[in-house]
Amino acid sequence: MKKGLLVVVSGFAGTGKGTLMKKLVSDYDNYALSVSMTTRAPRPGETNGKEYFFVTKEEFEKTISEDGLVEYANYVGNYYGTPKQYVTDQLAAGMNVILEIEIQGALKIKERFPEALLLFVMPPSAAELKRRLVGRGTETEDVIEKRLKRAIEESEGIEQYDYILVNDDCQICLEQMHAVIESAKWAASRNTDFIEQIRSELKEL
Ligand code: 5GP
């Protein structure tokens, strides 16, 4: 069985990546969404073990010292990290494992797992991003301003990703994401073992 692909998905707040990820997991059967560990407080409606594993700073640091995370980062004063066990188990079971994480973590994953695929979800335009953030109605004007400023910083790193995906129509973006992931599996650089195997079989003929 072919091993699954490790896929990192980043994007500005308000690009709709959360909805995309939920649809990816429900519409296709070979995706596993990693649940991160965080020290930030749960928002109303969030459940422990579903959106995140909510832990204390001490518990988080203990997990770091036990080498239980594949990556972690400090984001706006809180720790966020990806538990290792789930990722390794799901990849071994042939699933594509999705990490919805920010850029510092994404770059650490690329360093540690060079075969990982890095995707960045973009809004169709900056004006549309603002419209979506305002339209949600869940954030104050001040928070919206902070998120837009943060988007300017995050936009500096996009060239380090493998592909961008524009989320204009959610269904089209979802299908493109699946297609990119399936195609990426056939990159020569991700199939060096198979190439080597054919090479040595050829010599045996
Ligand atoms: P939020 O607090 O809005 O849920 O998440 C804040 C940011 O942390 C988002 O950009 C999200 O993608 C990122 N994030 C969530 N989990 C992880 C993780 O395990 N590692 C890293 N590096 N970032 C994460």
Side-chain angles (χ1 to χ4, degrees):
M1 181 184 36
K2 205 164 163 54
K3 238 181 98 185
L5 193 61
L6 185 57
V7 184
V8 171
V9 180
S10 304
F12 315 129
T15 37
K17 60 184 178 345
T19 312
L20 271 173
M21 296 305 95
K22 278 189 201 126
K23 271 183 81 63
L24 189 69
V25 174
S26 66
D27 289 12
Y28 301 93
D29 58 11
N30 55 341
Y31 290 99
L33 191 56
S34 161
V35 177
S36 295
M37 191 179 266
T38 185
T39 57
R40 87 145 161 76
R43 294 188 187 127
E46 286 183 336
T47 341
N48 190 31
K50 196 163 166 249
E51 285 81 10
Y52 285 103
F53 295 107
F54 297 99
V55 297
T56 62
K57 190 162 172 272
E58 288 68 35
E59 286 169 315
F60 198 101
E61 286 172 349
K62 185 164 176 276
T63 314
I64 297 174
S65 69
E66 291 167 351
D67 196 25
L69 301 172
V70 280
E71 65 73 38
Y72 68 93
N74 203 301
Y75 180 91
V76 207
N78 282 301
Y79 278 132
Y80 292 82
T82 307
K84 189 191 268 180
Q85 194 68 48
Y86 180 82
V87 172
T88 34
D89 289 354
Q90 295 294 321
L91 285 176
M95 301 292 273
N96 299 317
V97 178
I98 310 288
L99 311 182
E100 190 199 321
I101 63 178
E102 50 67 67
I103 186 162
Q104 302 165 61
L107 298 180
K108 277 188 224 153
I109 290 288
K110 189 78 193 170
E111 230 177 83
R112 192 160 175 181
F113 305 92
E115 74 283 8
L117 178 69
L118 269 57
L119 309 178
F120 199 98
V121 181
M122 306 276 273
S125 69
E128 174 62 15
L129 181 70
K130 185 166 184 183
R131 205 185 60 78
R132 287 183 193 172
L133 278 172
V134 174
R136 268 186 190 177
T138 51
E139 268 97 16
T140 60
E141 215 170 287
D142 179 48
V143 171
I144 292 170
E145 280 310 309
K146 279 201 185 117
R147 293 195 169 207
L148 290 173
K149 285 230 171 65
R150 175 91 205 166
I152 298 175
E153 284 166 36
E154 287 175 341
S155 72
E156 291 301 324
I158 302 177
E159 286 91 342
Q160 304 196 63
Y161 284 71
D162 296 306
Y163 289 89
I164 59 161
L165 291 157
V166 179
N167 190 15
D168 191 357
D169 178 298
C170 177
Q171 186 59 33
I172 293 173
C173 186
L174 182 75
E175 285 165 19
Q176 284 174 343
M177 185 177 281
H178 178 64
V180 165
I181 294 169
E182 284 304 312
S183 312
K185 285 188 179 173
W186 298 104
S189 60
R190 290 194 178 88
N191 289 279
T192 49
D193 287 352
F194 179 60
I195 295 167
E196 198 47 55
Q197 181 196 325
I198 296 289
R199 198 176 274 145
S200 64
E201 283 176 16
L202 281 169
K203 289 178 190 153
E204 298 293 313
L205 290 178

